[in-house]
Amino acid sequence: MLTIILAESELEIMPGELVNHPLIVSFAHQRRKQPYRILLDSNYHHVAMKDLVDGRRRGRPDITHLFLLTALESIANKKGQLKIIIHTRHDDVIYVNPETRIMRNYDRFVGLIEQLFEKKIIRSQEQTLLELKQKVPLNKVIEELKADKIIAFSEEGKATNLNKYLNDLKKHKEKNIVCIVGGFPSGKFNCDMESIAADIISIYPEMLVAWAVASEILVNYEITYL
Ligand SMILES: C[S@@+](CC[C@H](N)C(=O)[O-])C[C@H]1O[C@@H](n2cnc3c(N)ncnc32)[C@H](O)[C@@H]1O
């Protein structure tokens, strides 16, 4: 089984310090929602975000959207061999049912995640599709997975051929693999990744977007294990 955690994702409800900002009030009014019920989105809110702590990195639901579309449509997921977890900067954790079909339309996706933050659970008729648990730090999420190997992906990690790396894991009978990919647009993990992951690897000499890294992991895992 492969688990991919999109860690420290920049997915959050409007922070308290911005709910009274005129731009946010007017944006929320247009969407007929309360300001404290909308997602922070730098596409639309960057002017209001200029004095926000870490403002240049926050408010990126698009990264989670593209990651989920990539992972849920993968062969590994279709074969029932993938767990997908979204962890956010505020330690909110979203458990994603592999059968979830995420809408391709970005605005509808934002609406879905806003509903999730409000209700904490999204169900279809027969099953839970998305579940939000709050205040679960990344190390706790990982502990529960009982992994054989925990691998973090970083541009600054050890240069590694992913295909060869996974083949070595397979030879050592390591099957339950957890891969951690950052769900943020720039900068480093805030947590001490060395204390969480066995290896921190770079799969390409330049920075890649999170969903491209996820797709490399998914394809190489499929070729090696499935
Ligand atoms: C847009 S990057 C964030 C930039 C950041 N400098 C970094 O690599 O940590 C999003 C995530 O994709 C992964 N990533 C980006 N480039 C990578 C590379 N060359 N090798 C491995 N992982 C990479 C990392 O997990 C990273 O947190």
Side-chain angles (χ1 to χ4, degrees):
M1 177 65 85
L2 169 68
T3 303
I4 305 188
I5 304 179
L6 192 68
E8 298 181 2
S9 307
E10 294 297 354
L11 189 68
E12 60 182 312
I13 284 295
M14 189 59 64
E17 50 278 44
L18 294 189
V19 290
N20 293 319
H21 190 290
L23 185 140
I24 303 300
V25 172
S26 134
F27 181 86
H29 183 71
Q30 278 170 36
R31 291 196 53 217
R32 297 190 195 153
K33 290 202 167 188
Q34 299 293 337
Y36 54 83
R37 292 210 163 133
I38 62 175
L39 281 190
L40 180 69
D41 189 335
S42 69
N43 278 313
Y44 303 111
H45 310 142
H46 58 277
V47 174
M49 289 168 68
K50 69 179 187 331
D51 295 327
L52 187 67
V53 176
D54 271 352
R56 290 169 71 104
R57 140 172 183 159
R58 287 165 76 174
R60 293 298 305 271
D62 58 313
I63 297 177
T64 301
H65 184 219
L66 289 163
F67 166 76
L68 282 175
L69 290 174
T70 304
L72 285 164
E73 295 295 341
S74 67
I75 294 174
N77 192 47
K78 288 179 194 295
K79 291 191 173 174
Q81 291 302 308
L82 180 66
K83 269 190 209 163
I84 304 167
I85 299 175
I86 310 290
H87 162 268
T88 75
R89 71 154 42 233
H90 298 305
D91 286 340
D92 292 321
V93 177
I94 303 172
Y95 294 90
V96 182
N97 182 324
E99 290 185 24
T100 307
R101 291 287 159 262
I102 289 291
M103 44 284 270
R104 283 155 180 68
N105 179 287
Y106 178 67
D107 292 339
R108 289 185 58 214
F109 169 74
V110 166
L112 175 78
I113 300 298
E114 286 168 348
Q115 202 185 333
L116 177 66
F117 272 101
E118 214 174 308
K119 300 192 170 154
K120 313 287 181 271
I121 198 156
I122 302 285
R123 289 182 206 276
S124 71
Q125 275 147 359
E126 3 20 85
Q127 56 183 336
T128 297
L129 297 177
L130 302 174
E131 186 169 9
L132 175 77
K133 294 197 177 153
Q134 291 180 300
K135 300 274 161 255
V136 193
L138 185 59
N139 57 354
K140 200 84 198 147
V141 177
I142 291 169
E143 217 176 276
E144 286 163 4
L145 294 168
K146 312 256 179 281
D148 294 329
K149 191 83 173 185
I150 301 160
I151 312 147
F153 288 72
S154 167
E155 184 192 359
E156 291 170 14
K158 183 176 175 220
T160 301
N161 176 315
L162 186 55
N163 183 267
K164 188 174 170 312
Y165 180 88
L166 289 177
N167 270 299
D168 285 347
L169 292 190
K170 191 179 177 194
K171 270 186 213 142
H172 289 93
K173 307 220 177 318
E174 293 182 297
K175 292 183 187 155
N176 189 7
I177 293 163
V178 173
C179 293
I180 306 170
V181 178
F184 44 88
S186 58
K188 298 178 182 187
F189 288 104
N190 289 322
C191 68
D192 174 16
M193 199 47 86
E194 294 199 355
S195 70
I196 292 180
D199 293 319
I200 303 179
I201 66 172
S202 166
I203 57 169
Y204 189 67
E206 288 166 26
M207 189 177 87
L208 300 167
V209 291
W211 57 97
V213 176
S215 115
E216 293 291 335
I217 297 168
L218 288 158
V219 170
N220 281 288
Y221 179 83
E222 185 222 328
I223 293 168
T224 311
Y225 281 92
L226 305 182

